[in-house]
Amino acid sequence: MFLGDGIFTAMHGKDSPDKGVLWSHSRKTASNIFNKDNFKSLMRDTFVHKSKLVVDFIENSEKGKPIDMQRLFFGFTMDSIMSIFFGQETNSTKGEANVYGDAYDEAHRRMVSLLWSSLSVVSVLDIMPFPIGPLKPNEVLGPASRLYLALHPDGRIFRKSMNTLKEFAYDVIKKK
């Protein structure tokens, strides 16, 4: 799954299967990052520094030449996240390669493409009885849909990008 099993996807509340344990754990982990002191210092300092890089990039760009603002803001966001979450300095705002940012962008692009291009096929496959459709009524995807998504070109590239993201995250965890 693109967003993993953390705070963004975990069910919460007393009616969730685990009674909200996973969500609570994820919330507690996130609260250690997003606390008042970090907002006052680390995040503010990071955003001010990265904003100056964006302004410098714009001011030093060739006059009259268009600037890809979407790419520039993506670089700003990715550079800020890399600094705040992972403690790593990157300069994708200045056009330098960022393996994590590129993999994240590619995974997102392929996930959206895969979902839109596969929606009708997967919908039909999943109303079929097992072994084509799901075994259980609350199962999200049946065997045929899983196979279809696994063999789809966007699915393969998505998984490759996700592996890059996982490897990066594990490397950061090992270093800490």
Side-chain angles (χ1 to χ4, degrees), residues 64-75:
K65 184 177 178 186
I67 298 172
D68 183 349
M69 294 304 288
Q70 182 175 358
R71 184 73 186 149
L72 188 60
F73 288 140
F74 178 80

Side-chain angles (χ1 to χ4, degrees), residues 92-173:
S92 52
T93 303
K94 293 182 175 181
E96 291 180 17
N98 178 336
V99 174
Y100 185 89
D102 292 342
Y104 182 90
D105 203 24
E106 187 66 32
H108 181 260
R109 187 174 22 262
R110 295 300 175 150
M111 179 189 69
V112 170
S113 176
L114 181 62
L115 290 174
W116 282 111
S117 67
S118 304
L119 191 58
S120 59
V121 173
V122 170
S123 296
V124 170
L125 290 174
D126 281 351
I127 61 171
M128 305 294 280
F130 185 79
I132 294 171
L135 176 62
K136 301 172 187 171
N138 61 347
E139 195 174 24
V140 177
L141 295 172
S145 293
R146 287 193 189 123
L147 180 62
Y148 175 82
L149 295 172
L151 296 176
H152 194 285
D154 283 333
R156 288 194 297 265
I157 296 170
F158 172 76
R159 283 189 306 284
K160 182 180 176 189
S161 298
M162 290 303 296
N163 286 335
T164 300
L165 295 174
K166 286 178 192 174
E167 288 171 15
F168 180 86
Y170 290 142
D171 285 346
V172 168
I173 291 167

Side-chain angles (χ1 to χ4, degrees), residues 20-149:
V21 172
L22 178 60
W23 183 88
S24 294
H25 175 73
S26 298
R27 171 67 178 89
K28 186 125 186 114
T29 301
S31 71
N32 291 328
I33 296 170
F34 298 105
N35 61 48
K36 187 177 178 182
D37 291 336
N38 275 348
F39 272 108
K40 281 185 172 179
S41 59
L42 174 65
M43 291 185 194
R44 181 192 46 131
D45 293 346
T46 299
F47 292 134
V48 167
H49 172 69
K50 299 300 179 183
S51 295
K52 287 179 181 176
L53 293 176
V54 169
V55 171
D56 288 346
F57 180 84
I58 293 169
E59 288 176 348
N60 294 319
S61 293
E62 188 179 322
K63 302 297 179 216
K65 184 177 178 186
I67 298 172
D68 183 349
M69 294 304 288
Q70 182 175 358
R71 184 73 186 149
L72 188 60
F73 288 140
F74 178 80
F76 168 80
T77 303
M78 204 43 69
D79 289 347
S80 299
I81 287 170
M82 296 300 288
S83 179
I84 293 167
F85 289 176
F86 302 120
Q88 295 193 350
E89 286 301 314
T90 56
N91 288 310
S92 52
T93 303
K94 293 182 175 181
E96 291 180 17
N98 178 336
V99 174
Y100 185 89
D102 292 342
Y104 182 90
D105 203 24
E106 187 66 32
H108 181 260
R109 187 174 22 262
R110 295 300 175 150
M111 179 189 69
V112 170
S113 176
L114 181 62
L115 290 174
W116 282 111
S117 67
S118 304
L119 191 58
S120 59
V121 173
V122 170
S123 296
V124 170
L125 290 174
D126 281 351
I127 61 171
M128 305 294 280
F130 185 79
I132 294 171
L135 176 62
K136 301 172 187 171
N138 61 347
E139 195 174 24
V140 177
L141 295 172
S145 293
R146 287 193 189 123
L147 180 62
Y148 175 82
L149 295 172

